[in-house]
Amino acid sequence: MRQIPVDTSGATVMVAQPPQLKMRDKKTGQIAVDGDSGDNLMTVDVLFVMNGNAEVIPVTVTEPGISGELAMGTPVALTGLVARPWENEFNGQKRHGISFRAVAVTSLAAKAS
């Protein structure tokens, strides 16, 4: 699968919604896990602000990749952020989009004070 590195050096990034377990199947409650490490996957919604534009994007990260208190509004660093285009077909409907994955989401709150 293609992965496109995302440069966050010129952006302001902060938590929009705290980390939540990523569900593989919401009907059964099955939690998504990383195929390589077996760690639970988490989703952190972040506000990504760059060049006067702001967008909330969900970022997937393994549970051990989350460090520090990630409350709403906390400035964070996204280590190893990549964008992955995806496409699927469900019930005859084609869908596509971009998902975001990071190696780590780290609170910058302690560094700011």
Side-chain angles (χ1 to χ4, degrees):
M1 176 183 287
R2 267 188 327 186
Q3 295 187 56
I4 303 163
V6 179
D7 179 10
T8 61
S9 61
T12 300
V13 184
M14 64 185 75
V15 176
Q17 288 291 324
Q20 297 180 6
L21 283 170
K22 183 172 183 161
M23 304 306 288
R24 179 175 174 88
D25 187 333
K26 291 180 183 179
K27 291 179 184 175
T28 65
Q30 183 181 12
I31 297 168
V33 295
D34 182 73
D36 294 330
S37 68
D39 293 324
N40 288 341
L41 292 176
M42 306 291 286
T43 300
V44 182
D45 289 346
V46 297
L47 180 64
F48 192 92
V49 183
M50 188 170 192
N51 299 327
N53 296 311
E55 187 169 349
V56 174
I57 59 170
V59 176
T60 299
V61 63
T62 60
E63 199 166 11
I66 294 175
S67 61
E69 181 67 30
L70 299 183
M72 188 182 306
T74 303
V76 292
L78 302 174
T79 304
L81 182 65
V82 293
R84 295 177 176 177
W86 60 268
E87 181 176 272
N88 65 23
E89 188 171 337
F90 184 72
N91 290 336
Q93 297 264 316
K94 287 189 177 186
R95 298 176 48 174
H96 63 276
I98 299 173
S99 63
F100 294 90
R101 177 88 185 243
V103 173
V105 178
T106 307
S107 171
L108 298 176
K111 292 181 181 180
S113 44

